[in-house]
Amino acid sequence: MKKLTVLLFLLSFSLTNAQEIAILKYGGGGDWYSNPTALPNLITFCNQNINTAIKAKPQTVEVGSTDLFQFPFVHMTGHGNVFFSEDDAENLRKYLTSGGFLHIDDNYGMNQYIRKELKKVFPNQELREIPANHPIFQQPYSFPKGLPKIHEHDGLRPQALGLFYENRLVLLFTFESDLGDGWENKEIHNDSDEVRLKALQMGANIVNYAFKH
């Protein structure tokens, strides 16, 4: 039955929204809408460089909505508080265990909140660091040292942390990197072309992994 659920989930992507992604709207007061130019720029980069055909404008989906199941890839960001109700957590767990993928990018200040809420989603799991030899760092762009550092926050090294279901990475939490700032329009953060390219390439790897796994 579980395999049938996953098959139907993936089939719905291929027939309807196989190339559409969304921003996750959540409760708690955190600014889920931050970095408004980030995901559109990443979509443009992916479409131009890794043979995707993602719709240019990302959708917005609430964590507790059944609409979540329309998207193979959902992106979450912000600076502050995050809160998942029990229904939110159950819906997100069903989404992830049915073939969906969530990328959480800490825009600074999410860490203490998101860790607590993720325990509602997978009570028996802890976030664990993803090694640099994981496929998400290898294709289509090579990051032999793992997650790149894009913006400096607290002088800590960047970490890619994950949750897994049946040996599949279903949730990626990028911490102390701030990929989304590197995806934004150049004039917003004045990042160099080199830094922005690293951020966009790493983002393309994440999208590529989510679509193919």
Side-chain angles (χ1 to χ4, degrees):
M1 184 64 182
K2 187 182 295 182
K3 289 183 178 179
L4 178 60
T5 300
V6 173
L7 179 61
L8 291 174
F9 181 76
L10 296 175
L11 181 61
S12 71
F13 288 158
S14 64
L15 294 178
T16 56
N17 293 314
Q19 299 278 269
E20 192 168 15
I21 63 180
I23 298 167
L24 193 70
K25 180 179 179 180
Y26 53 87
D31 53 343
W32 59 268
Y33 46 81
S34 60
N35 286 7
T37 67
L39 209 52
N41 285 345
L42 178 62
I43 289 170
T44 298
F45 181 86
C46 289
N47 288 346
Q48 292 176 348
N49 293 278
I50 66 167
N51 298 316
T52 53
I54 306 168
K55 291 184 180 179
K57 183 179 179 180
Q59 299 298 306
T60 297
V61 63
E62 296 190 10
V63 65
S65 171
T66 56
D67 291 342
L68 186 63
F69 292 82
Q70 296 179 20
F71 307 100
F73 175 94
V74 178
H75 175 74
M76 177 180 180
T77 191
H79 291 85
N81 193 30
V82 177
F83 175 77
F84 295 156
S85 69
E86 290 302 321
D87 287 343
D88 290 342
E90 181 180 2
N91 195 56
L92 183 57
R93 179 168 56 253
K94 288 180 178 178
Y95 166 75
L96 295 173
T97 58
S98 298
F101 186 92
L102 175 62
H103 172 222
I104 306 171
D105 187 47
D106 184 13
N107 205 357
Y108 192 53
M110 290 183 74
N111 184 49
Q112 62 178 313
Y113 304 107
I114 193 60
R115 286 177 179 268
K116 176 171 60 71
E117 298 310 295
L118 290 179
K119 292 298 291 183
K120 298 177 182 177
V121 182
F122 289 108
N124 299 319
Q125 277 207 54
E126 299 288 344
L127 285 165
R128 67 179 196 249
E129 189 159 8
I130 300 167
N133 63 356
H134 189 275
I136 206 165
F137 297 121
Q138 298 176 353
Q139 298 173 354
Y141 300 102
S142 177
F143 288 89
K145 296 182 179 180
L147 186 69
K149 185 80 167 180
I150 303 303
H151 274 194
E152 189 61 64
H153 289 152
D154 293 324
L156 303 176
R157 67 182 180 87
Q159 288 184 280
L161 306 166
L163 293 175
F164 294 78
Y165 178 74
E166 295 184 343
N167 296 317
R168 180 178 72 93
L169 176 65
V170 297
L171 182 148
L172 173 68
F173 176 43
T174 47
F175 175 61
E176 281 291 324
S177 172
D178 209 341
L179 292 173
D181 276 6
W183 301 343
E184 284 223 272
N185 289 351
K186 185 174 182 178
E187 66 272 11
I188 295 176
H189 300 288
N190 294 316
D191 289 326
S192 68
D193 290 342
E194 180 183 4
V195 167
R196 293 188 71 243
L197 182 60
K198 279 196 304 184
L200 288 164
Q201 288 178 336
M202 186 65 236
N205 277 24
I206 297 169
V207 170
N208 179 72
Y209 181 87
F211 279 15
K212 292 184 177 180
H213 296 81

